[in-house]
Each structure stands twice: as structure tokens, then as C-alpha cells.
Amino acid sequence: MPTIVRPATLDDLAAISALLLQDAAERAASDGDLWPLATDAVRRIAQSFSNEVLGDGSARWLIAEADGAVVGVARFGVIPCPPIYHLAGKLAFVLFDDTYVRGSAPDDVLASLIAAAERKGREMGAVILLAACALFQRGKLSALQAGGYDVVTHYLVKHRLSDRAAPASVRAATPADVPAIVAMGARSQESLCKANAKMWKPHPDAPARFGAWMQYSLSLQDRRIFVIGERELGGFVIAQPTSPFHTPLALRSEHLGLIDDFWTPEFAQTDGSREFSTAKDLLASAEAEFVQRGRTSAMTICPAEWRAKQDLLRACGYRDGNAWMLKV
């Protein structure tokens, strides 16, 4: 019988939960420090699935059936891009981590799910197509690559974090530092655009929008912005919590801290003289902040083509975790 791909219904919840728990078990076997199973995994899956199937949630669900059995699931949605980037008001399609196919399923199941999700994403207004995939998931990785996707962003992880005190040159940012942080953020955005202009084209209003977000971020108790230097700032980093986009539904994320915005001029040097001393001090400060907050692992977002930043992170003990892929 041919593979059937259709929208999921509440009657599919038990089969979907079984698939996602199997996915969670495989992730935990690959890296239990990164992907620990949530004690209430079944409840988390059921709550999100029910809200998104019955309500107007941000995600949609498809299932694949072969020989009358549910053998695959895809969770996807469309999201606006971050306000400092420019998609001309359009949306991005994301195939979330909660996409899984049994190893015994027919060879065409995953490709069929991906294609069906993409079609729906385009109908919903998506102009770029993204997919989350852990690099150990060879089958999913191969299927996405065959469908025209390539890794655009690495989510690098580290489990044994530094808890040493921040160097004297590193301090918490203040409102007076925001203009300098915005200027450094603009250089970071330029590097992102060079890494992939389709993904990270700066919005014309990016400086004002980023500045407003930095001012607001200083008031948030769940994160801390660090800068290095006094009058002349030499870099900044933000230690913050993860978002629901960063982990599958069945897995815990409370142990993870996230580093996204992170810049020093060392990342722009091309003469081979980089020692990354400033970057290492900022990174160690962010890690120590996570330790103080009871977090045991850090996840750092790094474009695949931003080699200088990736080299620094890998030299500091960060390794492949998850990845986002872009259809080119």
C-alpha cells in the first residue's frame, strides 16, 4: 500500500506520543546531558498537540501511515523572522524537532512528510524554508539534504561549564552601554549577512529595534548582558534562557542556558593573529552566570559559515548539538 500523509487528529495522539518518545530515547542515547527526558513528557506532548490541533496554535501536525499504521509524524509552523532581520514582512517555515519516522518505515515516508509540510507552509505564507535536525540523525539529515536543505546554523553545546569568576575587565552592562552594544550588534549582523544573506539580511530599522530590545533586556531578570571594557567596549555577550523552539516537546530544557548575541572584534579579524582572549573572557562569564542559575549546559548559536566564531567555540569545548537547515 502507498504511504498516506494526512493532518493529525486527536485520535492519533497515542501513536504520535509513542513516536516522539522513541525519538527522545534516541536523543538521550546520543547525548543524555543535552537531551534528558522530561518526567512529564507524555503530558507535554499531549498538551501541545491538543492545543495546536484544536486551537489556533503556531504549529501544525501531519502523520504518515503505511500498511494501516502510523509510522511518522511532522510538526511544523510559520513564524515571523526576528525584527532586526528583513523578510519584507513575510514568514519563515520551520520543520520542528518533533518530526520523526520509525526506522522500519518505508523509505519514502520522511520525504513525503517533508514535502507535504513544505506545501502547507508555502500556503501559509512562508518565503524561506527551515528545518531542525540533530546531526546524529543521519536518516533525517540525508532526507533533508536530498530535498535541497543545507546546515545554516549550528547549535553548539557544552556540558562542563566554567564557574570561574568573571575577569575584572568583564562587567554587567548598564543602560549607558546600549549605544555601544548597538554599534557592535550592527557589526555582528554584518557578519551574519556575510554568512548567509538569505537568512540574515538586516532590517533597515535594525539599529533602533535592537537598541530598544537591549534596553528592555536590561530589565529582564532571566538574563544578563556582559560587556568588556569601560569607556571603549571590546565586546558583549548575552546569557539567557532557551525558548520552546530549541528543544523537542518530550525533553527538558531547564538545564540549558542559551548564548545567541555574542560579539568581539576578534571575530572579524582575518590576518591569522586571533587569540580570542576577549571572546574567551566573555564566554567564561556567560558560563559562570549559567552555573550560578543552576544550569548545567550551555547552547550557543553559530552560523555554519561564520568560521572565526565557530573556531573559538569549538576550541572552548563546544560540540555539535542541534542544527537548523535552510532550503537553498
Side-chain angles (χ1 to χ4, degrees), residues 139-284:
K140 185 191 287 191
L141 184 67
S142 296
L144 288 166
Q145 289 172 330
Y149 289 80
D150 199 6
V151 174
V152 67
T153 306
H154 286 287
Y155 287 73
L156 301 172
V157 295
K158 181 178 179 181
H159 301 311
R160 280 158 288 282
L161 303 182
S162 169
D163 61 355
R164 69 180 175 90
S169 57
V170 177
R171 58 179 175 82
T174 69
D177 296 316
V178 169
I181 292 172
V182 170
M184 290 186 290
R187 295 193 64 189
S188 177
Q189 291 152 29
E190 289 173 6
S191 295
L192 287 164
C193 189
K194 289 178 182 177
N196 193 300
K198 184 176 181 179
M199 182 81 169
W200 291 295
K201 180 181 178 181
H203 192 279
D205 296 331
R209 293 180 175 190
F210 189 63
W213 177 243
M214 290 298 98
Q215 289 283 5
Y216 178 65
S217 293
L218 287 172
S219 70
L220 298 176
Q221 299 302 306
D222 65 354
R223 67 200 63 204
R224 187 178 294 273
I225 305 173
F226 292 101
V227 295
I228 194 163
E230 293 296 334
R231 296 181 180 177
E232 221 32 66
L233 296 189
F236 76 102
V237 67
I238 304 178
Q240 63 191 60
T242 60
S243 81
F245 290 128
H246 296 126
T247 50
L249 293 172
L251 302 177
R252 290 196 294 109
S253 61
E254 297 84 354
H255 66 297
L256 275 174
L258 181 69
I259 298 171
D260 185 359
D261 294 296
F262 176 24
W263 168 262
T264 86
E266 293 166 323
F267 293 146
Q269 293 175 8
T270 59
D271 61 2
S273 63
R274 294 176 301 218
E275 295 184 357
F276 296 121
S277 57
T278 297
K280 289 177 181 177
D281 284 346
L282 286 166
L283 189 60

Side-chain angles (χ1 to χ4, degrees), residues 16 43 53 57 63 73 78 80 112-113 139 143 163 170-171 262 279 300:
I16 288 171
R43 183 198 64 79
V53 169
I63 63 161
V73 60
V78 293
S112 297
L113 278 170
D163 61 355
V170 177
R171 58 179 175 82
F262 176 24
T300 306

